[in-house]
Amino acid sequence: TGVLNSILEQWCPPSAETVMGHAEAMSLAENVPPGCHGLTFLPYLGGERTPNWPHSTGALLGITPQNMNCMAGGSSGVMYRAAMEGVSYLMADALNQMRESCGDGFDPQSIFLVGGGSKNRLWRQMLADVLGLELSFPIESESAALGAAFQAGAAASGMKVDEYVSKQSVDVNDVVVRPTDDEETLKLYRDGFERYMQNSRKLFAS
């Protein structure tokens, strides 16, 4: 995502030989425990649409002497993971808003993950754990517009959207990522999401 690209460029210093890439940053982030030692990253670098906070900004909260060494180049993995968790919590927040808006008729058990982030092994597992859902991956990874195409198809055919979508098929690969069974990891993510929700509402909710 654009957020991770910005973190990579601004917070993850290059080595003497090469600029750090996402694979190296991910490897460093894997050594940081879930919850990032209490750091909370609000990823609203360009405002936010869900929630509808166009004037919001990014924020890094929960800085302590123990976790602030990343800001001095001590551990790029901490900032990279904090950003990944922040975006994951943003997606969980959006999913909860969809549940509230749609009522009992919306109860997903699995979701398709697409885009560049869907190739990130750490982020795949993180999202499954944070969302509490099974993740599948379309063979065509750049399928972000697929939902809009289905809606357009339904409108053109005169069918209800849910009826039209139920008749469509999406080719997926064999990889399925499920939430971890490790309760300690899940609790750290739950605590992190609670901090995210509290801090984001205090700063930007009207």
Side-chain angles (χ1 to χ4, degrees), residues 104-125:
D104 295 337
F106 182 76
D107 185 26
Q109 303 301 309
S110 64
I111 61 174
F112 288 154
L113 190 62
V114 301
S118 66
K119 303 178 180 68
N120 187 310
R121 183 184 69 256
L122 174 61
W123 206 352
R124 286 180 171 193
Q125 188 61 58

Side-chain angles (χ1 to χ4, degrees), residues 70-135:
C70 64
M71 302 173 67
S75 178
S76 302
V78 176
M79 273 304 302
Y80 195 79
R81 183 173 190 117
M84 292 176 70
E85 290 189 3
V87 176
S88 300
Y89 297 145
L90 172 63
M91 296 177 69
D93 185 8
L95 186 63
N96 285 343
Q97 291 185 57
M98 292 176 67
R99 288 190 175 102
E100 293 174 6
S101 298
C102 297
D104 295 337
F106 182 76
D107 185 26
Q109 303 301 309
S110 64
I111 61 174
F112 288 154
L113 190 62
V114 301
S118 66
K119 303 178 180 68
N120 187 310
R121 183 184 69 256
L122 174 61
W123 206 352
R124 286 180 171 193
Q125 188 61 58
M126 182 184 296
L127 273 174
D129 295 344
V130 169
L131 300 178
L133 294 174
E134 190 176 273
L135 305 182

